Amino acid sequence: MIARSVTYAQRIERVLSRAGIRSLVFRAPLELTKDEGCAYAVRLAPESMPTAEKLLAEHGLTKVRFLKYDDYGIREV
């Protein structure tokens, strides 16, 4: 997930952590942020995505882009 700031990414991480979902916050690579400038990413296991999306919506944390990395590269989902 790409978040607009480190604070927003940390909020996401806390919500996920409280639900037992492991995640990692890191500075997003420039090729993923496009014209967003300084953005942060939250990495989690693909099988946690449906639950994570639901939790974030419940907590009003909807200003994120969801990306998937697989054998085909990185794509928005």
Side-chain angles (χ1 to χ4, degrees):
M1 290 179 270
I2 303 294
R4 62 183 179 199
S5 69
V6 67
T7 304
Y8 207 79
Q10 289 169 335
R11 287 178 186 160
I12 291 169
E13 182 183 39
R14 271 194 301 276
V15 167
L16 297 176
S17 178
R18 287 183 198 138
I21 299 173
R22 293 180 55 173
S23 62
L24 172 70
V25 173
F26 62 98
R27 183 96 182 249
L30 291 176
E31 62 267 14
L32 297 182
T33 60
K34 300 179 183 175
D35 296 326
E36 297 172 31
C38 178
Y40 284 78
V42 181
R43 177 180 289 173
L44 61 146
E47 59 271 9
S48 299
M49 289 296 288
T51 304
E53 285 183 87
K54 182 180 174 188
L55 284 169
L56 296 182
E58 289 172 0
H59 287 86
L61 298 169
T62 58
K63 296 184 179 181
V64 294
R65 288 184 328 146
F66 290 90
L67 304 173
K68 182 177 182 177
Y69 177 76
D70 56 23
D71 294 338
Y72 302 105
I74 300 171
R75 57 191 164 93
E76 195 158 349
V77 292

